[in-house]
PDB file of all heavy atoms in Angstrom:
ATOM      1  N   TYR R   1       0.799  -1.219   0.000  1.00  0.00           N
ATOM      2  CA  TYR R   1       0.000   0.000   0.000  1.00  0.00           C
ATOM      3  C   TYR R   1       0.837   1.277   0.000  1.00  0.00           C
ATOM      4  O   TYR R   1       0.449   2.284  -0.604  1.00  0.00           O
ATOM      5  CB  TYR R   1      -0.961  -0.001   1.196  1.00  0.00           C
ATOM      6  CG  TYR R   1      -1.813  -1.240   1.269  1.00  0.00           C
ATOM      7  CD1 TYR R   1      -1.860  -2.011   2.421  1.00  0.00           C
ATOM      8  CD2 TYR R   1      -2.556  -1.665   0.162  1.00  0.00           C
ATOM      9  CE1 TYR R   1      -2.637  -3.166   2.488  1.00  0.00           C
ATOM     10  CE2 TYR R   1      -3.330  -2.815   0.223  1.00  0.00           C
ATOM     11  CZ  TYR R   1      -3.360  -3.558   1.389  1.00  0.00           C
ATOM     12  OH  TYR R   1      -4.110  -4.703   1.440  1.00  0.00           O
ATOM     13  N   ALA R   2       1.969   1.277   0.674  1.00  0.00           N
ATOM     14  CA  ALA R   2       2.814   2.474   0.719  1.00  0.00           C
ATOM     15  C   ALA R   2       3.388   2.788  -0.650  1.00  0.00           C
ATOM     16  O   ALA R   2       3.380   3.944  -1.097  1.00  0.00           O
ATOM     17  CB  ALA R   2       3.932   2.289   1.737  1.00  0.00           C
ATOM     18  N   VAL R   3       3.885   1.772  -1.333  1.00  0.00           N
ATOM     19  CA  VAL R   3       4.451   1.979  -2.667  1.00  0.00           C
ATOM     20  C   VAL R   3       3.359   2.414  -3.629  1.00  0.00           C
ATOM     21  O   VAL R   3       3.572   3.291  -4.482  1.00  0.00           O
ATOM     22  CB  VAL R   3       5.144   0.699  -3.154  1.00  0.00           C
ATOM     23  CG1 VAL R   3       5.571   0.823  -4.610  1.00  0.00           C
ATOM     24  CG2 VAL R   3       6.355   0.398  -2.271  1.00  0.00           C
ATOM     25  N   GLU R   4       2.173   1.843  -3.515  1.00  0.00           N
ATOM     26  CA  GLU R   4       1.070   2.237  -4.397  1.00  0.00           C
ATOM     27  C   GLU R   4       0.683   3.695  -4.175  1.00  0.00           C
ATOM     28  O   GLU R   4       0.378   4.419  -5.132  1.00  0.00           O
ATOM     29  CB  GLU R   4      -0.127   1.322  -4.165  1.00  0.00           C
ATOM     30  CG  GLU R   4       0.114  -0.093  -4.679  1.00  0.00           C
ATOM     31  CD  GLU R   4      -1.112  -0.970  -4.588  1.00  0.00           C
ATOM     32  OE1 GLU R   4      -1.990  -0.689  -3.745  1.00  0.00           O
ATOM     33  OE2 GLU R   4      -1.218  -1.947  -5.360  1.00  0.00           O
ATOM     34  N   ALA R   5       0.682   4.138  -2.923  1.00  0.00           N
ATOM     35  CA  ALA R   5       0.361   5.534  -2.636  1.00  0.00           C
ATOM     36  C   ALA R   5       1.398   6.470  -3.244  1.00  0.00           C
ATOM     37  O   ALA R   5       1.057   7.539  -3.783  1.00  0.00           O
ATOM     38  CB  ALA R   5       0.276   5.749  -1.122  1.00  0.00           C
ATOM     39  N   ALA R   6       2.674   6.082  -3.182  1.00  0.00           N
ATOM     40  CA  ALA R   6       3.732   6.905  -3.768  1.00  0.00           C
ATOM     41  C   ALA R   6       3.635   6.925  -5.291  1.00  0.00           C
ATOM     42  O   ALA R   6       3.802   7.975  -5.926  1.00  0.00           O
ATOM     43  CB  ALA R   6       5.098   6.376  -3.335  1.00  0.00           C
ATOM     44  N   VAL R   7       3.351   5.777  -5.885  1.00  0.00           N
ATOM     45  CA  VAL R   7       3.262   5.689  -7.343  1.00  0.00           C
ATOM     46  C   VAL R   7       2.101   6.528  -7.867  1.00  0.00           C
ATOM     47  O   VAL R   7       2.206   7.159  -8.926  1.00  0.00           O
ATOM     48  CB  VAL R   7       3.125   4.219  -7.786  1.00  0.00           C
ATOM     49  CG1 VAL R   7       2.771   4.122  -9.270  1.00  0.00           C
ATOM     50  CG2 VAL R   7       4.419   3.465  -7.514  1.00  0.00           C
ATOM     51  N   ALA R   8       0.986   6.573  -7.142  1.00  0.00           N
ATOM     52  CA  ALA R   8      -0.157   7.377  -7.581  1.00  0.00           C
ATOM     53  C   ALA R   8       0.227   8.847  -7.731  1.00  0.00           C
ATOM     54  O   ALA R   8      -0.135   9.507  -8.716  1.00  0.00           O
ATOM     55  CB  ALA R   8      -1.312   7.227  -6.593  1.00  0.00           C
ATOM     56  N   LEU R   9       0.990   9.371  -6.773  1.00  0.00           N
ATOM     57  CA  LEU R   9       1.428  10.768  -6.857  1.00  0.00           C
ATOM     58  C   LEU R   9       2.485  10.950  -7.940  1.00  0.00           C
ATOM     59  O   LEU R   9       2.494  11.976  -8.642  1.00  0.00           O
ATOM     60  CB  LEU R   9       1.978  11.218  -5.507  1.00  0.00           C
ATOM     61  CG  LEU R   9       0.969  11.274  -4.356  1.00  0.00           C
ATOM     62  CD1 LEU R   9       1.646  11.751  -3.075  1.00  0.00           C
ATOM     63  CD2 LEU R   9      -0.208  12.177  -4.701  1.00  0.00           C
ATOM     64  N   ALA R  10       3.373   9.966  -8.083  1.00  0.00           N
ATOM     65  CA  ALA R  10       4.381  10.045  -9.140  1.00  0.00           C
ATOM     66  C   ALA R  10       3.722  10.048 -10.517  1.00  0.00           C
ATOM     67  O   ALA R  10       4.181  10.754 -11.429  1.00  0.00           O
ATOM     68  CB  ALA R  10       5.357   8.870  -9.018  1.00  0.00           C
ATOM     69  N   VAL R  11       2.653   9.291 -10.673  1.00  0.00           N
ATOM     70  CA  VAL R  11       1.907   9.278 -11.943  1.00  0.00           C
ATOM     71  C   VAL R  11       1.319  10.652 -12.229  1.00  0.00           C
ATOM     72  O   VAL R  11       1.346  11.132 -13.375  1.00  0.00           O
ATOM     73  CB  VAL R  11       0.808   8.198 -11.899  1.00  0.00           C
ATOM     74  CG1 VAL R  11      -0.216   8.412 -13.006  1.00  0.00           C
ATOM     75  CG2 VAL R  11       1.421   6.814 -12.026  1.00  0.00           C
ATOM     76  N   LEU R  12       0.784  11.313 -11.204  1.00  0.00           N
ATOM     77  CA  LEU R  12       0.241  12.661 -11.397  1.00  0.00           C
ATOM     78  C   LEU R  12       1.324  13.632 -11.850  1.00  0.00           C
ATOM     79  O   LEU R  12       1.103  14.434 -12.774  1.00  0.00           O
ATOM     80  CB  LEU R  12      -0.397  13.147 -10.096  1.00  0.00           C
ATOM     81  CG  LEU R  12      -1.780  12.580  -9.756  1.00  0.00           C
ATOM     82  CD1 LEU R  12      -2.137  12.865  -8.308  1.00  0.00           C
ATOM     83  CD2 LEU R  12      -2.842  13.161 -10.690  1.00  0.00           C
ATOM     84  N   LEU R  13       2.475  13.573 -11.215  1.00  0.00           N
ATOM     85  CA  LEU R  13       3.574  14.462 -11.612  1.00  0.00           C
ATOM     86  C   LEU R  13       4.064  14.157 -13.018  1.00  0.00           C
ATOM     87  O   LEU R  13       4.332  15.070 -13.813  1.00  0.00           O
ATOM     88  CB  LEU R  13       4.735  14.327 -10.626  1.00  0.00           C
ATOM     89  CG  LEU R  13       4.725  15.230  -9.398  1.00  0.00           C
ATOM     90  CD1 LEU R  13       5.923  14.935  -8.519  1.00  0.00           C
ATOM     91  CD2 LEU R  13       4.699  16.699  -9.786  1.00  0.00           C
ATOM     92  N   ALA R  14       4.181  12.865 -13.335  1.00  0.00           N
ATOM     93  CA  ALA R  14       4.647  12.481 -14.670  1.00  0.00           C
ATOM     94  C   ALA R  14       3.644  12.908 -15.742  1.00  0.00           C
ATOM     95  O   ALA R  14       4.037  13.364 -16.828  1.00  0.00           O
ATOM     96  CB  ALA R  14       4.864  10.972 -14.730  1.00  0.00           C
ATOM     97  N   THR R  15       2.369  12.774 -15.457  1.00  0.00           N
ATOM     98  CA  THR R  15       1.343  13.198 -16.418  1.00  0.00           C
ATOM     99  C   THR R  15       1.384  14.697 -16.641  1.00  0.00           C
ATOM    100  O   THR R  15       1.271  15.188 -17.769  1.00  0.00           O
ATOM    101  CB  THR R  15      -0.050  12.774 -15.925  1.00  0.00           C
ATOM    102  OG1 THR R  15      -0.048  11.372 -15.633  1.00  0.00           O
ATOM    103  CG2 THR R  15      -1.113  13.062 -16.967  1.00  0.00           C
ATOM    104  N   ASP R  16       1.556  15.441 -15.557  1.00  0.00           N
ATOM    105  CA  ASP R  16       1.661  16.894 -15.681  1.00  0.00           C
ATOM    106  C   ASP R  16       2.872  17.276 -16.521  1.00  0.00           C
ATOM    107  O   ASP R  16       2.793  18.164 -17.385  1.00  0.00           O
ATOM    108  CB  ASP R  16       1.777  17.509 -14.283  1.00  0.00           C
ATOM    109  CG  ASP R  16       1.934  19.016 -14.334  1.00  0.00           C
ATOM    110  OD1 ASP R  16       1.024  19.689 -14.854  1.00  0.00           O
ATOM    111  OD2 ASP R  16       2.974  19.514 -13.865  1.00  0.00           O
ATOM    112  N   ALA R  17       4.007  16.594 -16.301  1.00  0.00           N
ATOM    113  CA  ALA R  17       5.216  16.892 -17.081  1.00  0.00           C
ATOM    114  C   ALA R  17       5.021  16.539 -18.548  1.00  0.00           C
ATOM    115  O   ALA R  17       5.426  17.298 -19.448  1.00  0.00           O
ATOM    116  CB  ALA R  17       6.402  16.115 -16.505  1.00  0.00           C
ATOM    117  N   ALA R  18       4.377  15.387 -18.816  1.00  0.00           N
ATOM    118  CA  ALA R  18       4.162  14.976 -20.200  1.00  0.00           C
ATOM    119  C   ALA R  18       3.218  15.924 -20.937  1.00  0.00           C
ATOM    120  O   ALA R  18       3.330  16.120 -22.148  1.00  0.00           O
ATOM    121  CB  ALA R  18       3.601  13.559 -20.237  1.00  0.00           C
ATOM    122  N   ALA R  19       2.304  16.519 -20.216  1.00  0.00           N
ATOM    123  CA  ALA R  19       1.349  17.434 -20.844  1.00  0.00           C
ATOM    124  C   ALA R  19       1.935  18.815 -21.093  1.00  0.00           C
ATOM    125  O   ALA R  19       1.285  19.661 -21.701  1.00  0.00           O
ATOM    126  CB  ALA R  19       0.106  17.567 -19.969  1.00  0.00           C
ATOM    127  N   ARG R  20       3.169  19.052 -20.657  1.00  0.00           N
ATOM    128  CA  ARG R  20       3.793  20.372 -20.803  1.00  0.00           C
ATOM    129  C   ARG R  20       5.035  20.320 -21.688  1.00  0.00           C
ATOM    130  O   ARG R  20       5.925  21.139 -21.560  1.00  0.00           O
ATOM    131  CB  ARG R  20       4.170  20.934 -19.429  1.00  0.00           C
ATOM    132  CG  ARG R  20       2.983  21.140 -18.508  1.00  0.00           C
ATOM    133  CD  ARG R  20       3.429  21.583 -17.123  1.00  0.00           C
ATOM    134  NE  ARG R  20       2.321  21.708 -16.211  1.00  0.00           N
ATOM    135  CZ  ARG R  20       1.541  22.778 -16.102  1.00  0.00           C
ATOM    136  NH1 ARG R  20       1.783  23.839 -16.859  1.00  0.00           N
ATOM    137  NH2 ARG R  20       0.532  22.814 -15.252  1.00  0.00           N
ATOM    138  N   THR R  21       5.097  19.401 -22.611  1.00  0.00           N
ATOM    139  CA  THR R  21       6.306  19.230 -23.433  1.00  0.00           C
ATOM    140  C   THR R  21       6.130  19.784 -24.837  1.00  0.00           C
ATOM    141  O   THR R  21       6.836  19.400 -25.757  1.00  0.00           O
ATOM    142  CB  THR R  21       6.655  17.732 -23.528  1.00  0.00           C
ATOM    143  OG1 THR R  21       5.539  17.021 -24.087  1.00  0.00           O
ATOM    144  CG2 THR R  21       6.969  17.162 -22.167  1.00  0.00           C
ATOM    145  N   ARG R  22       5.192  20.689 -25.035  1.00  0.00           N
ATOM    146  CA  ARG R  22       4.879  21.145 -26.398  1.00  0.00           C
ATOM    147  C   ARG R  22       6.046  21.885 -27.067  1.00  0.00           C
ATOM    148  O   ARG R  22       6.063  22.028 -28.280  1.00  0.00           O
ATOM    149  CB  ARG R  22       3.642  22.032 -26.381  1.00  0.00           C
ATOM    150  CG  ARG R  22       3.720  23.217 -25.417  1.00  0.00           C
ATOM    151  CD  ARG R  22       2.376  23.928 -25.347  1.00  0.00           C
ATOM    152  NE  ARG R  22       2.372  25.051 -24.423  1.00  0.00           N
ATOM    153  CZ  ARG R  22       2.135  24.917 -23.125  1.00  0.00           C
ATOM    154  NH1 ARG R  22       1.955  23.723 -22.613  1.00  0.00           N
ATOM    155  NH2 ARG R  22       2.132  25.976 -22.333  1.00  0.00           N
ATOM    156  N   ARG R  23       7.015  22.356 -26.283  1.00  0.00           N
ATOM    157  CA  ARG R  23       8.130  23.085 -26.886  1.00  0.00           C
ATOM    158  C   ARG R  23       9.319  22.175 -27.227  1.00  0.00           C
ATOM    159  O   ARG R  23      10.302  22.618 -27.764  1.00  0.00           O
ATOM    160  CB  ARG R  23       8.595  24.189 -25.934  1.00  0.00           C
ATOM    161  CG  ARG R  23       7.530  25.269 -25.707  1.00  0.00           C
ATOM    162  CD  ARG R  23       8.049  26.338 -24.774  1.00  0.00           C
ATOM    163  NE  ARG R  23       7.046  27.361 -24.523  1.00  0.00           N
ATOM    164  CZ  ARG R  23       7.208  28.403 -23.713  1.00  0.00           C
ATOM    165  NH1 ARG R  23       8.369  28.564 -23.085  1.00  0.00           N
ATOM    166  NH2 ARG R  23       6.245  29.276 -23.542  1.00  0.00           N
ATOM    167  N   VAL R  24       9.234  20.896 -26.806  1.00  0.00           N
ATOM    168  CA  VAL R  24      10.324  19.961 -27.062  1.00  0.00           C
ATOM    169  C   VAL R  24      10.034  19.209 -28.346  1.00  0.00           C
ATOM    170  O   VAL R  24       8.962  18.664 -28.524  1.00  0.00           O
ATOM    171  CB  VAL R  24      10.475  18.974 -25.886  1.00  0.00           C
ATOM    172  CG1 VAL R  24      11.629  18.023 -26.142  1.00  0.00           C
ATOM    173  CG2 VAL R  24      10.688  19.740 -24.587  1.00  0.00           C
ATOM    174  N   ARG R  25      11.004  19.151 -29.254  1.00  0.00           N
ATOM    175  CA  ARG R  25      10.767  18.560 -30.577  1.00  0.00           C
ATOM    176  C   ARG R  25      11.582  17.282 -30.778  1.00  0.00           C
ATOM    177  O   ARG R  25      12.035  16.982 -31.870  1.00  0.00           O
ATOM    178  CB  ARG R  25      11.106  19.576 -31.673  1.00  0.00           C
ATOM    179  CG  ARG R  25      10.296  20.858 -31.550  1.00  0.00           C
ATOM    180  CD  ARG R  25      10.539  21.799 -32.717  1.00  0.00           C
ATOM    181  NE  ARG R  25       9.751  23.010 -32.588  1.00  0.00           N
ATOM    182  CZ  ARG R  25       8.477  23.109 -32.932  1.00  0.00           C
ATOM    183  NH1 ARG R  25       7.856  22.058 -33.438  1.00  0.00           N
ATOM    184  NH2 ARG R  25       7.820  24.244 -32.789  1.00  0.00           N
ATOM    185  N   THR R  26      11.780  16.528 -29.725  1.00  0.00           N
ATOM    186  CA  THR R  26      12.465  15.244 -29.831  1.00  0.00           C
ATOM    187  C   THR R  26      11.536  14.155 -29.313  1.00  0.00           C
ATOM    188  O   THR R  26      10.466  14.427 -28.761  1.00  0.00           O
ATOM    189  CB  THR R  26      13.762  15.246 -29.001  1.00  0.00           C
ATOM    190  OG1 THR R  26      13.421  15.289 -27.605  1.00  0.00           O
ATOM    191  CG2 THR R  26      14.627  16.437 -29.362  1.00  0.00           C
ATOM    192  N   VAL R  27      11.975  12.907 -29.492  1.00  0.00           N
ATOM    193  CA  VAL R  27      11.162  11.780 -29.032  1.00  0.00           C
ATOM    194  C   VAL R  27      11.431  11.447 -27.568  1.00  0.00           C
ATOM    195  O   VAL R  27      10.782  10.561 -27.005  1.00  0.00           O
ATOM    196  CB  VAL R  27      11.441  10.531 -29.897  1.00  0.00           C
ATOM    197  CG1 VAL R  27      11.044  10.776 -31.327  1.00  0.00           C
ATOM    198  CG2 VAL R  27      12.906  10.118 -29.796  1.00  0.00           C
ATOM    199  N   LEU R  28      12.380  12.146 -26.947  1.00  0.00           N
ATOM    200  CA  LEU R  28      12.730  11.826 -25.566  1.00  0.00           C
ATOM    201  C   LEU R  28      11.547  11.948 -24.597  1.00  0.00           C
ATOM    202  O   LEU R  28      11.379  11.088 -23.727  1.00  0.00           O
ATOM    203  CB  LEU R  28      13.883  12.725 -25.100  1.00  0.00           C
ATOM    204  CG  LEU R  28      15.248  12.414 -25.732  1.00  0.00           C
ATOM    205  CD1 LEU R  28      16.294  13.384 -25.211  1.00  0.00           C
ATOM    206  CD2 LEU R  28      15.661  10.978 -25.412  1.00  0.00           C
ATOM    207  N   PRO R  29      10.714  12.995 -24.701  1.00  0.00           N
ATOM    208  CA  PRO R  29       9.564  13.050 -23.792  1.00  0.00           C
ATOM    209  C   PRO R  29       8.654  11.840 -23.927  1.00  0.00           C
ATOM    210  O   PRO R  29       8.165  11.313 -22.922  1.00  0.00           O
ATOM    211  CB  PRO R  29       8.847  14.339 -24.214  1.00  0.00           C
ATOM    212  CG  PRO R  29       9.904  15.167 -24.837  1.00  0.00           C
ATOM    213  CD  PRO R  29      10.797  14.210 -25.539  1.00  0.00           C
ATOM    214  N   LEU R  30       8.429  11.390 -25.146  1.00  0.00           N
ATOM    215  CA  LEU R  30       7.572  10.231 -25.359  1.00  0.00           C
ATOM    216  C   LEU R  30       8.201   8.980 -24.753  1.00  0.00           C
ATOM    217  O   LEU R  30       7.524   8.187 -24.083  1.00  0.00           O
ATOM    218  CB  LEU R  30       7.325  10.026 -26.854  1.00  0.00           C
ATOM    219  CG  LEU R  30       6.462   8.806 -27.222  1.00  0.00           C
ATOM    220  CD1 LEU R  30       5.085   8.923 -26.593  1.00  0.00           C
ATOM    221  CD2 LEU R  30       6.357   8.668 -28.742  1.00  0.00           C
ATOM    222  N   VAL R  31       9.494   8.791 -24.960  1.00  0.00           N
ATOM    223  CA  VAL R  31      10.187   7.620 -24.410  1.00  0.00           C
ATOM    224  C   VAL R  31      10.130   7.645 -22.881  1.00  0.00           C
ATOM    225  O   VAL R  31       9.852   6.630 -22.223  1.00  0.00           O
ATOM    226  CB  VAL R  31      11.644   7.583 -24.899  1.00  0.00           C
ATOM    227  CG1 VAL R  31      12.422   6.480 -24.181  1.00  0.00           C
ATOM    228  CG2 VAL R  31      11.689   7.367 -26.406  1.00  0.00           C
ATOM    229  N   GLY R  32      10.406   8.803 -22.300  1.00  0.00           N
ATOM    230  CA  GLY R  32      10.367   8.914 -20.844  1.00  0.00           C
ATOM    231  C   GLY R  32       8.980   8.660 -20.290  1.00  0.00           C
ATOM    232  O   GLY R  32       8.820   7.991 -19.261  1.00  0.00           O
ATOM    233  N   TRP R  33       7.968   9.184 -20.977  1.00  0.00           N
ATOM    234  CA  TRP R  33       6.583   8.991 -20.551  1.00  0.00           C
ATOM    235  C   TRP R  33       6.194   7.512 -20.614  1.00  0.00           C
ATOM    236  O   TRP R  33       5.601   6.972 -19.674  1.00  0.00           O
ATOM    237  CB  TRP R  33       5.676   9.842 -21.419  1.00  0.00           C
ATOM    238  CG  TRP R  33       4.199   9.629 -21.280  1.00  0.00           C
ATOM    239  CD1 TRP R  33       3.331   9.290 -22.261  1.00  0.00           C
ATOM    240  CD2 TRP R  33       3.404   9.794 -20.106  1.00  0.00           C
ATOM    241  NE1 TRP R  33       2.053   9.209 -21.779  1.00  0.00           N
ATOM    242  CE2 TRP R  33       2.069   9.514 -20.452  1.00  0.00           C
ATOM    243  CE3 TRP R  33       3.691  10.133 -18.786  1.00  0.00           C
ATOM    244  CZ2 TRP R  33       1.023   9.564 -19.533  1.00  0.00           C
ATOM    245  CZ3 TRP R  33       2.649  10.173 -17.859  1.00  0.00           C
ATOM    246  CH2 TRP R  33       1.341   9.894 -18.234  1.00  0.00           C
ATOM    247  N   VAL R  34       6.539   6.848 -21.682  1.00  0.00           N
ATOM    248  CA  VAL R  34       6.228   5.422 -21.833  1.00  0.00           C
ATOM    249  C   VAL R  34       6.935   4.615 -20.740  1.00  0.00           C
ATOM    250  O   VAL R  34       6.336   3.740 -20.099  1.00  0.00           O
ATOM    251  CB  VAL R  34       6.624   4.916 -23.229  1.00  0.00           C
ATOM    252  CG1 VAL R  34       6.523   3.399 -23.293  1.00  0.00           C
ATOM    253  CG2 VAL R  34       5.745   5.543 -24.293  1.00  0.00           C
ATOM    254  N   ALA R  35       8.225   4.898 -20.520  1.00  0.00           N
ATOM    255  CA  ALA R  35       8.989   4.152 -19.516  1.00  0.00           C
ATOM    256  C   ALA R  35       8.404   4.352 -18.117  1.00  0.00           C
ATOM    257  O   ALA R  35       8.257   3.394 -17.346  1.00  0.00           O
ATOM    258  CB  ALA R  35      10.451   4.591 -19.550  1.00  0.00           C
ATOM    259  N   ALA R  36       8.052   5.601 -17.798  1.00  0.00           N
ATOM    260  CA  ALA R  36       7.520   5.892 -16.466  1.00  0.00           C
ATOM    261  C   ALA R  36       6.208   5.166 -16.218  1.00  0.00           C
ATOM    262  O   ALA R  36       5.984   4.601 -15.136  1.00  0.00           O
ATOM    263  CB  ALA R  36       7.330   7.406 -16.304  1.00  0.00           C
ATOM    264  N   THR R  37       5.333   5.160 -17.209  1.00  0.00           N
ATOM    265  CA  THR R  37       4.029   4.513 -17.033  1.00  0.00           C
ATOM    266  C   THR R  37       4.157   2.993 -16.968  1.00  0.00           C
ATOM    267  O   THR R  37       3.425   2.335 -16.220  1.00  0.00           O
ATOM    268  CB  THR R  37       3.076   4.918 -18.156  1.00  0.00           C
ATOM    269  OG1 THR R  37       3.685   4.641 -19.429  1.00  0.00           O
ATOM    270  CG2 THR R  37       2.738   6.400 -18.074  1.00  0.00           C
TER     271      THR R  37
END
């Protein structure tokens, strides 16, 4: 349960970061997003 609670918040942060990458023109954001999820 502790790890799941931490992962839920990490998912929120990762989603927020992925939604703010409009100025980056490489595939790195996509790769990082896929790996994190």
Side-chain angles (χ1 to χ4, degrees):
Y1 306 126
V3 172
E4 290 186 336
V7 169
L9 295 181
V11 164
L12 283 166
L13 271 178
T15 307
D16 178 61
R20 299 175 183 276
T21 58
R22 54 187 179 274
R23 295 181 181 178
V24 181
R25 302 186 180 278
T26 69
V27 297
L28 289 179
L30 178 60
V31 172
W33 171 237
V34 170
T37 54

